[in-house]
Amino acid sequence: RQVTKAVFPVAGLGTRFLPATKSIPKEIMTLVDRPLIQYAIDEARAAGITDFIFVTSRGKSALEDYFDHAPHLEDSLKSKGKDDLLEILRSTDMESGAIAYIRQKMAMGLGHAVWCARRLIGNEPFAVILPDDVIAAETPCLRQMVDAYQDTGANMVAAMEVPREKAPAYGILDVARDMGDKVLVKGMVEKPSLEEAPSNLAVIGRYILTPKVLHNLDQNLRHKRFGAGGELQLTDAIAQEIDGQGVYGLRFNGQRFDCGSKAGFLQATVSFALARPELRGEFEEYLRDMFALPEAAE
């Protein structure tokens, strides 16, 4: 079946970016001139997503306003003949009814955030996109996953190799069969110790899931089967489908930036700035001069 719905868990407080996130949702902090959430939305659109479900929390009204119509700003740009900026502005608009907002009242983990959207998802396969993971790719990551899903019809997670010592920070896959770009999964461990990590193949913030995962989340919540950190873990609910509808990992083509960390956010900013033709020349010159100064001093 076609994947047309996507869940965006954006209820987090963004504490690693305080004090900025005291009043600004982390998801609208900008890489160059586009907020993190815009990269996620554009990737979803390229994959054929038409229904966007945001799981939010108190203090996220600026995120909702970002996708709203801005008639006064449009009129100002029209009157000044700034058609190029007007086109950019219009590209951020979402048609009425395309976005739904669900409140997550308690911070109980990623699994709980997805569970909150269950009534809007219904009995359909759906995608989950974590805006913190920004992926630069010629073919958008979720598009790659949707194409692969048409072949397998099973649950799918984006995966990439990470340094072995960083495995405890991720959900890690236990691989039954390696087919190159795809792997068949026989186990998933959320944030294992170094000794318990079955591989260094980590789950990254893109998922295509079957409705059975929602049932698993519901049952785990009802019976208080919580995972790592005492939270309702999405990884646990997906792992329950390994012997059912199956789980695959997709080694996507692209570069992932962890924009949930300050270092990753800065790395992404530099990379995306250098990828922009109108910025590259001046920015490269600045970087060369900046690194030349310490060398000259030495």
Side-chain angles (χ1 to χ4, degrees):
R1 298 179 63 180
Q2 294 297 314
V3 181
T4 60
K5 295 181 177 180
V7 178
F8 299 80
V10 292
L13 298 176
T15 52
R16 284 188 284 183
F17 284 86
L18 284 171
T21 49
K22 178 182 179 182
S23 60
I24 302 173
K26 179 181 61 178
E27 296 78 18
I28 61 172
M29 292 178 64
T30 56
L31 290 178
V32 188
D33 55 4
R34 293 167 61 200
L36 291 176
I37 195 62
Q38 186 68 57
Y39 289 93
I41 287 286
D42 290 345
E43 183 179 331
R45 281 171 163 169
I49 299 299
T50 57
D51 298 321
F52 305 82
I53 304 168
F54 285 68
V55 182
T56 69
S57 60
R58 182 181 296 275
K60 298 284 184 172
S61 58
L63 177 63
E64 298 179 19
D65 290 342
Y66 173 76
F67 290 109
D68 205 352
H69 184 49
H72 291 96
L73 182 55
E74 285 194 15
D75 290 344
S76 175
L77 294 175
K78 280 182 186 177
S79 65
K80 296 176 181 177
K82 297 183 178 181
D83 295 338
D84 52 341
L85 292 178
L86 184 60
E87 189 63 28
I88 292 172
L89 180 66
R90 285 175 172 168
S91 71
T92 68
D93 288 347
M94 303 290 285
E95 62 183 74
S96 297
I99 293 183
Y101 298 96
I102 298 292
R103 281 288 184 98
Q104 183 185 24
K105 292 186 177 180
M106 298 173 287
M108 293 178 60
L110 176 57
H112 184 262
V114 173
W115 175 85
C116 289
R118 68 198 182 283
R119 292 188 178 91
L120 292 178
I121 297 168
N123 193 36
E124 297 183 37
F126 62 100
V128 177
I129 300 180
L130 306 188
D132 277 358
D133 282 331
V134 177
I135 299 174
E138 185 173 344
T139 300
C141 178
L142 193 64
R143 175 78 261 172
Q144 297 176 45
M145 295 180 70
V146 166
D147 292 342
Y149 172 77
Q150 300 306 320
D151 295 333
T152 65
N155 298 281
M156 183 165 293
V157 299
M160 62 177 282
E161 271 87 8
V162 298
R164 189 83 186 190
E165 65 274 13
K166 293 188 177 181
Y170 295 88
I172 299 294
L173 300 181
D174 192 357
V175 177
R177 187 166 77 250
D178 194 327
M179 297 164 279
D181 61 335
K182 290 192 289 289
V183 298
L184 180 63
V185 175
K186 66 179 180 180
M188 302 175 70
V189 186
E190 183 66 27
K191 297 181 179 178
S193 65
L194 282 175
E195 296 74 24
E196 295 173 334
S199 72
N200 70 329
L201 192 59
V203 177
I204 302 304
R206 302 290 186 276
Y207 310 78
I208 294 179
L209 305 174
T210 61
K212 189 64 166 53
V213 171
L214 292 175
H215 172 77
N216 296 341
L217 287 170
D218 193 61
Q219 292 300 305
N220 291 347
L221 182 60
R222 288 176 186 272
H223 297 286
K224 294 182 170 50
R225 293 194 289 257
F226 300 120
E231 297 180 331
L232 187 65
Q233 293 291 349
L234 182 60
T235 300
D236 295 341
I238 298 171
Q240 289 171 251
E241 289 305 298
I242 288 173
D243 295 325
Q245 294 174 301
V247 179
Y248 287 82
L250 179 72
R251 289 188 177 99
F252 60 90
N253 292 315
Q255 183 177 6
R256 174 253 187 177
F257 297 94
D258 177 13
C259 291
S261 71
K262 293 176 184 177
F265 192 92
L266 291 171
Q267 291 162 12
T269 299
V270 172
S271 181
F272 279 83
L274 291 174
R276 295 274 289 270
E278 74 275 21
L279 298 176
R280 184 186 304 121
E282 183 178 352
F283 195 39
E284 279 186 338
E285 182 178 354
Y286 167 75
L287 292 175
R288 281 195 297 268
D289 291 344
M290 183 178 67
F291 285 109
L293 287 172
E295 291 177 3
E298 290 177 6

